[in-house]
Amino acid sequence: MRIGELARRTGVSERSLRYYEQQGLLAADRTPGGQREYPERAVDRVIRIQELFAAGLHSKKIAQLLPCMRDADGGPSEIATPQLVADLAAERDRIDRMMTELANSRGVLDEVIKAAHQESANPLRKPRRHLGEK
């Protein structure tokens, strides 16, 4: 399939697909006219790449992991190594830390929203003066 078809089927821009190719994440054959031709399995590969980017991995880490993963289901391939498992566990731990930090940030925002809502709901309360106001 051509690059436009792959972009349409995966929802990824042609520019991103070319970037993936430059980074060694995606391979294409070339027609005699120089146009990219992707195999059907490229759809699964692009989806897998998108999932890994969404998980916060950078392209160099993805390039290291992809050869050890099956595109269709993301499971380990026969050439997966103990190092791959350690790398993936470290990435999972990093994501867990980020999720905890985001949940804490959301909790702080919830408290600010609650306090602001309570203050604005009480019309008899005098408006607060901010530092520097007279």
Side-chain angles (χ1 to χ4, degrees):
M1 83 187 79
R2 300 276 169 84
I3 193 168
E5 174 71 6
L6 183 58
R8 185 186 64 74
R9 290 180 59 188
T10 59
V12 175
S13 71
E14 291 181 21
R15 181 179 179 176
S16 291
L17 295 173
R18 286 189 289 273
Y19 173 77
Y20 296 168
E21 192 174 339
Q22 289 172 342
Q23 298 298 307
L25 306 177
L26 185 64
D29 293 326
R30 296 288 181 152
T31 66
Q35 293 185 325
R36 291 172 171 86
E37 275 288 327
Y38 295 96
E40 184 64 31
R41 67 182 179 276
V43 172
D44 290 332
R45 170 59 59 108
V46 171
I47 291 167
R48 183 74 47 235
I49 292 167
Q50 286 289 293
E51 291 170 344
L52 293 170
F53 273 127
L57 278 70
H58 53 80
S59 60
K60 288 182 182 179
K61 178 61 74 177
I62 293 171
Q64 292 171 342
L65 295 177
L66 282 176
C68 299
M69 299 175 73
R70 293 187 306 258
D71 287 330
D73 64 2
S77 74
E78 298 75 33
I79 63 168
T81 64
Q83 184 60 48
L84 169 67
V85 174
D87 287 350
L88 291 174
E91 289 298 330
R92 184 193 58 225
D93 291 345
R94 183 187 63 78
I95 291 168
D96 286 345
R97 285 190 303 275
M98 287 176 58
M99 290 172 62
T100 298
E101 291 169 8
L102 286 170
N104 290 339
S105 295
R106 184 185 60 212
V108 169
L109 286 173
D110 287 345
E111 290 299 318
V112 170
I113 291 167
K114 180 180 175 183
H117 179 71
Q118 289 173 345
E119 188 165 315
S120 66
N122 186 350
L124 300 177
R125 181 177 286 190
K126 288 184 178 180
R128 284 186 167 172
R129 292 187 181 189
H130 298 284
L131 292 177
E133 287 185 1
K134 293 186 178 186

PDB file of all heavy atoms in Angstrom, residues 67-91:
ATOM      1  N   PRO A  67      12.138  -4.765  17.445  1.00  0.00           N
ATOM      2  CA  PRO A  67      12.540  -6.077  16.928  1.00  0.00           C
ATOM      3  C   PRO A  67      12.202  -7.228  17.868  1.00  0.00           C
ATOM      4  O   PRO A  67      12.148  -8.386  17.438  1.00  0.00           O
ATOM      5  CB  PRO A  67      14.061  -5.949  16.764  1.00  0.00           C
ATOM      6  CG  PRO A  67      14.327  -4.499  16.683  1.00  0.00           C
ATOM      7  CD  PRO A  67      13.267  -3.847  17.532  1.00  0.00           C
ATOM      8  N   CYS A  68      11.960  -6.932  19.124  1.00  0.00           N
ATOM      9  CA  CYS A  68      11.660  -7.967  20.111  1.00  0.00           C
ATOM     10  C   CYS A  68      10.171  -8.096  20.401  1.00  0.00           C
ATOM     11  O   CYS A  68       9.774  -8.822  21.313  1.00  0.00           O
ATOM     12  CB  CYS A  68      12.405  -7.659  21.407  1.00  0.00           C
ATOM     13  SG  CYS A  68      14.189  -7.623  21.208  1.00  0.00           S
ATOM     14  N   MET A  69       9.339  -7.392  19.631  1.00  0.00           N
ATOM     15  CA  MET A  69       7.890  -7.425  19.849  1.00  0.00           C
ATOM     16  C   MET A  69       7.174  -7.862  18.587  1.00  0.00           C
ATOM     17  O   MET A  69       7.582  -7.518  17.482  1.00  0.00           O
ATOM     18  CB  MET A  69       7.389  -6.026  20.236  1.00  0.00           C
ATOM     19  CG  MET A  69       7.976  -5.484  21.504  1.00  0.00           C
ATOM     20  SD  MET A  69       7.468  -3.778  21.823  1.00  0.00           S
ATOM     21  CE  MET A  69       5.772  -4.036  22.297  1.00  0.00           C
ATOM     22  N   ARG A  70       6.082  -8.599  18.778  1.00  0.00           N
ATOM     23  CA  ARG A  70       5.220  -8.938  17.638  1.00  0.00           C
ATOM     24  C   ARG A  70       4.336  -7.736  17.368  1.00  0.00           C
ATOM     25  O   ARG A  70       3.769  -7.150  18.282  1.00  0.00           O
ATOM     26  CB  ARG A  70       4.363 -10.154  17.964  1.00  0.00           C
ATOM     27  CG  ARG A  70       5.145 -11.438  18.137  1.00  0.00           C
ATOM     28  CD  ARG A  70       4.221 -12.647  18.282  1.00  0.00           C
ATOM     29  NE  ARG A  70       3.237 -12.486  19.339  1.00  0.00           N
ATOM     30  CZ  ARG A  70       3.337 -13.048  20.546  1.00  0.00           C
ATOM     31  NH1 ARG A  70       4.376 -13.788  20.857  1.00  0.00           N
ATOM     32  NH2 ARG A  70       2.404 -12.861  21.449  1.00  0.00           N
ATOM     33  N   ASP A  71       4.200  -7.392  16.095  1.00  0.00           N
ATOM     34  CA  ASP A  71       3.379  -6.231  15.747  1.00  0.00           C
ATOM     35  C   ASP A  71       1.894  -6.475  15.991  1.00  0.00           C
ATOM     36  O   ASP A  71       1.180  -5.593  16.440  1.00  0.00           O
ATOM     37  CB  ASP A  71       3.581  -5.857  14.273  1.00  0.00           C
ATOM     38  CG  ASP A  71       4.933  -5.212  14.027  1.00  0.00           C
ATOM     39  OD1 ASP A  71       5.461  -4.558  14.939  1.00  0.00           O
ATOM     40  OD2 ASP A  71       5.443  -5.355  12.915  1.00  0.00           O
ATOM     41  N   ALA A  72       1.428  -7.663  15.690  1.00  0.00           N
ATOM     42  CA  ALA A  72      -0.008  -7.926  15.736  1.00  0.00           C
ATOM     43  C   ALA A  72      -0.594  -7.777  17.137  1.00  0.00           C
ATOM     44  O   ALA A  72      -1.686  -7.251  17.296  1.00  0.00           O
ATOM     45  CB  ALA A  72      -0.301  -9.313  15.187  1.00  0.00           C
ATOM     46  N   ASP A  73       0.138  -8.237  18.167  1.00  0.00           N
ATOM     47  CA  ASP A  73      -0.441  -8.194  19.514  1.00  0.00           C
ATOM     48  C   ASP A  73       0.476  -7.542  20.550  1.00  0.00           C
ATOM     49  O   ASP A  73       0.116  -7.421  21.710  1.00  0.00           O
ATOM     50  CB  ASP A  73      -0.827  -9.587  19.980  1.00  0.00           C
ATOM     51  CG  ASP A  73       0.362 -10.530  20.124  1.00  0.00           C
ATOM     52  OD1 ASP A  73       1.514 -10.105  19.907  1.00  0.00           O
ATOM     53  OD2 ASP A  73       0.131 -11.707  20.454  1.00  0.00           O
ATOM     54  N   GLY A  74       1.674  -7.132  20.148  1.00  0.00           N
ATOM     55  CA  GLY A  74       2.584  -6.465  21.070  1.00  0.00           C
ATOM     56  C   GLY A  74       3.309  -7.399  22.012  1.00  0.00           C
ATOM     57  O   GLY A  74       4.084  -6.948  22.846  1.00  0.00           O
ATOM     58  N   GLY A  75       3.050  -8.702  21.880  1.00  0.00           N
ATOM     59  CA  GLY A  75       3.729  -9.670  22.735  1.00  0.00           C
ATOM     60  C   GLY A  75       5.185  -9.823  22.349  1.00  0.00           C
ATOM     61  O   GLY A  75       5.621  -9.345  21.306  1.00  0.00           O
ATOM     62  N   PRO A  76       5.940 -10.505  23.205  1.00  0.00           N
ATOM     63  CA  PRO A  76       7.360 -10.686  22.899  1.00  0.00           C
ATOM     64  C   PRO A  76       7.558 -11.667  21.746  1.00  0.00           C
ATOM     65  O   PRO A  76       6.836 -12.640  21.621  1.00  0.00           O
ATOM     66  CB  PRO A  76       7.937 -11.248  24.201  1.00  0.00           C
ATOM     67  CG  PRO A  76       6.783 -11.853  24.910  1.00  0.00           C
ATOM     68  CD  PRO A  76       5.563 -11.091  24.479  1.00  0.00           C
ATOM     69  N   SER A  77       8.526 -11.374  20.910  1.00  0.00           N
ATOM     70  CA  SER A  77       8.854 -12.297  19.829  1.00  0.00           C
ATOM     71  C   SER A  77       9.825 -13.341  20.356  1.00  0.00           C
ATOM     72  O   SER A  77      10.258 -13.288  21.509  1.00  0.00           O
ATOM     73  CB  SER A  77       9.478 -11.540  18.651  1.00  0.00           C
ATOM     74  OG  SER A  77      10.799 -11.162  18.972  1.00  0.00           O
ATOM     75  N   GLU A  78      10.176 -14.249  19.513  1.00  0.00           N
ATOM     76  CA  GLU A  78      11.082 -15.314  19.908  1.00  0.00           C
ATOM     77  C   GLU A  78      12.464 -14.782  20.247  1.00  0.00           C
ATOM     78  O   GLU A  78      13.226 -15.443  20.944  1.00  0.00           O
ATOM     79  CB  GLU A  78      11.196 -16.353  18.784  1.00  0.00           C
ATOM     80  CG  GLU A  78       9.892 -17.053  18.443  1.00  0.00           C
ATOM     81  CD  GLU A  78       8.923 -16.176  17.643  1.00  0.00           C
ATOM     82  OE1 GLU A  78       9.369 -15.334  16.836  1.00  0.00           O
ATOM     83  OE2 GLU A  78       7.709 -16.327  17.856  1.00  0.00           O
ATOM     84  N   ILE A  79      12.801 -13.587  19.762  1.00  0.00           N
ATOM     85  CA  ILE A  79      14.126 -13.048  20.032  1.00  0.00           C
ATOM     86  C   ILE A  79      14.136 -12.075  21.212  1.00  0.00           C
ATOM     87  O   ILE A  79      15.128 -11.405  21.450  1.00  0.00           O
ATOM     88  CB  ILE A  79      14.728 -12.371  18.779  1.00  0.00           C
ATOM     89  CG1 ILE A  79      13.888 -11.167  18.349  1.00  0.00           C
ATOM     90  CG2 ILE A  79      14.909 -13.351  17.652  1.00  0.00           C
ATOM     91  CD1 ILE A  79      14.575 -10.291  17.322  1.00  0.00           C
ATOM     92  N   ALA A  80      13.030 -12.007  21.955  1.00  0.00           N
ATOM     93  CA  ALA A  80      12.988 -11.139  23.128  1.00  0.00           C
ATOM     94  C   ALA A  80      14.055 -11.585  24.123  1.00  0.00           C
ATOM     95  O   ALA A  80      14.297 -12.767  24.306  1.00  0.00           O
ATOM     96  CB  ALA A  80      11.609 -11.185  23.777  1.00  0.00           C
ATOM     97  N   THR A  81      14.667 -10.625  24.765  1.00  0.00           N
ATOM     98  CA  THR A  81      15.776 -10.916  25.675  1.00  0.00           C
ATOM     99  C   THR A  81      15.419 -10.524  27.103  1.00  0.00           C
ATOM    100  O   THR A  81      14.482  -9.749  27.327  1.00  0.00           O
ATOM    101  CB  THR A  81      17.022 -10.098  25.255  1.00  0.00           C
ATOM    102  OG1 THR A  81      16.707  -8.707  25.414  1.00  0.00           O
ATOM    103  CG2 THR A  81      17.413 -10.388  23.814  1.00  0.00           C
ATOM    104  N   PRO A  82      16.182 -11.024  28.067  1.00  0.00           N
ATOM    105  CA  PRO A  82      15.970 -10.563  29.449  1.00  0.00           C
ATOM    106  C   PRO A  82      16.149  -9.047  29.576  1.00  0.00           C
ATOM    107  O   PRO A  82      15.487  -8.415  30.388  1.00  0.00           O
ATOM    108  CB  PRO A  82      17.042 -11.320  30.249  1.00  0.00           C
ATOM    109  CG  PRO A  82      17.302 -12.557  29.453  1.00  0.00           C
ATOM    110  CD  PRO A  82      17.153 -12.134  28.011  1.00  0.00           C
ATOM    111  N   GLN A  83      17.018  -8.477  28.762  1.00  0.00           N
ATOM    112  CA  GLN A  83      17.207  -7.020  28.799  1.00  0.00           C
ATOM    113  C   GLN A  83      15.931  -6.299  28.370  1.00  0.00           C
ATOM    114  O   GLN A  83      15.576  -5.267  28.922  1.00  0.00           O
ATOM    115  CB  GLN A  83      18.380  -6.604  27.911  1.00  0.00           C
ATOM    116  CG  GLN A  83      18.683  -5.116  27.978  1.00  0.00           C
ATOM    117  CD  GLN A  83      19.046  -4.645  29.382  1.00  0.00           C
ATOM    118  OE1 GLN A  83      19.874  -5.258  30.042  1.00  0.00           O
ATOM    119  NE2 GLN A  83      18.427  -3.577  29.844  1.00  0.00           N
ATOM    120  N   LEU A  84      15.231  -6.856  27.359  1.00  0.00           N
ATOM    121  CA  LEU A  84      13.962  -6.273  26.935  1.00  0.00           C
ATOM    122  C   LEU A  84      12.980  -6.262  28.095  1.00  0.00           C
ATOM    123  O   LEU A  84      12.336  -5.254  28.360  1.00  0.00           O
ATOM    124  CB  LEU A  84      13.367  -7.044  25.758  1.00  0.00           C
ATOM    125  CG  LEU A  84      11.923  -6.676  25.401  1.00  0.00           C
ATOM    126  CD1 LEU A  84      11.847  -5.254  24.872  1.00  0.00           C
ATOM    127  CD2 LEU A  84      11.349  -7.653  24.411  1.00  0.00           C
ATOM    128  N   VAL A  85      12.884  -7.362  28.810  1.00  0.00           N
ATOM    129  CA  VAL A  85      11.971  -7.441  29.944  1.00  0.00           C
ATOM    130  C   VAL A  85      12.350  -6.403  30.997  1.00  0.00           C
ATOM    131  O   VAL A  85      11.487  -5.697  31.527  1.00  0.00           O
ATOM    132  CB  VAL A  85      11.973  -8.867  30.545  1.00  0.00           C
ATOM    133  CG1 VAL A  85      11.152  -8.932  31.816  1.00  0.00           C
ATOM    134  CG2 VAL A  85      11.459  -9.869  29.519  1.00  0.00           C
ATOM    135  N   ALA A  86      13.634  -6.255  31.263  1.00  0.00           N
ATOM    136  CA  ALA A  86      14.081  -5.260  32.246  1.00  0.00           C
ATOM    137  C   ALA A  86      13.770  -3.848  31.769  1.00  0.00           C
ATOM    138  O   ALA A  86      13.314  -3.011  32.554  1.00  0.00           O
ATOM    139  CB  ALA A  86      15.578  -5.424  32.503  1.00  0.00           C
ATOM    140  N   ASP A  87      13.989  -3.573  30.489  1.00  0.00           N
ATOM    141  CA  ASP A  87      13.691  -2.245  29.940  1.00  0.00           C
ATOM    142  C   ASP A  87      12.206  -1.941  30.015  1.00  0.00           C
ATOM    143  O   ASP A  87      11.801  -0.836  30.377  1.00  0.00           O
ATOM    144  CB  ASP A  87      14.162  -2.141  28.487  1.00  0.00           C
ATOM    145  CG  ASP A  87      15.671  -2.051  28.350  1.00  0.00           C
ATOM    146  OD1 ASP A  87      16.360  -1.875  29.384  1.00  0.00           O
ATOM    147  OD2 ASP A  87      16.150  -2.153  27.208  1.00  0.00           O
ATOM    148  N   LEU A  88      11.392  -2.918  29.673  1.00  0.00           N
ATOM    149  CA  LEU A  88       9.939  -2.707  29.715  1.00  0.00           C
ATOM    150  C   LEU A  88       9.458  -2.521  31.153  1.00  0.00           C
ATOM    151  O   LEU A  88       8.589  -1.689  31.414  1.00  0.00           O
ATOM    152  CB  LEU A  88       9.209  -3.860  29.037  1.00  0.00           C
ATOM    153  CG  LEU A  88       9.378  -3.951  27.528  1.00  0.00           C
ATOM    154  CD1 LEU A  88       8.734  -5.225  26.991  1.00  0.00           C
ATOM    155  CD2 LEU A  88       8.799  -2.735  26.836  1.00  0.00           C
ATOM    156  N   ALA A  89      10.014  -3.267  32.081  1.00  0.00           N
ATOM    157  CA  ALA A  89       9.639  -3.103  33.491  1.00  0.00           C
ATOM    158  C   ALA A  89      10.025  -1.712  33.987  1.00  0.00           C
ATOM    159  O   ALA A  89       9.259  -1.072  34.718  1.00  0.00           O
ATOM    160  CB  ALA A  89      10.301  -4.179  34.342  1.00  0.00           C
ATOM    161  N   ALA A  90      11.188  -1.223  33.571  1.00  0.00           N
ATOM    162  CA  ALA A  90      11.611   0.122  33.966  1.00  0.00           C
ATOM    163  C   ALA A  90      10.672   1.173  33.380  1.00  0.00           C
ATOM    164  O   ALA A  90      10.317   2.146  34.062  1.00  0.00           O
ATOM    165  CB  ALA A  90      13.054   0.376  33.518  1.00  0.00           C
ATOM    166  N   GLU A  91      10.257   0.991  32.131  1.00  0.00           N
ATOM    167  CA  GLU A  91       9.317   1.932  31.513  1.00  0.00           C
ATOM    168  C   GLU A  91       7.971   1.889  32.228  1.00  0.00           C
ATOM    169  O   GLU A  91       7.347   2.919  32.463  1.00  0.00           O
ATOM    170  CB  GLU A  91       9.145   1.631  30.027  1.00  0.00           C
ATOM    171  CG  GLU A  91      10.359   1.973  29.192  1.00  0.00           C
ATOM    172  CD  GLU A  91      10.724   3.449  29.213  1.00  0.00           C
ATOM    173  OE1 GLU A  91       9.841   4.310  29.371  1.00  0.00           O
ATOM    174  OE2 GLU A  91      11.919   3.747  29.061  1.00  0.00           O
TER     175      GLU A  91
END
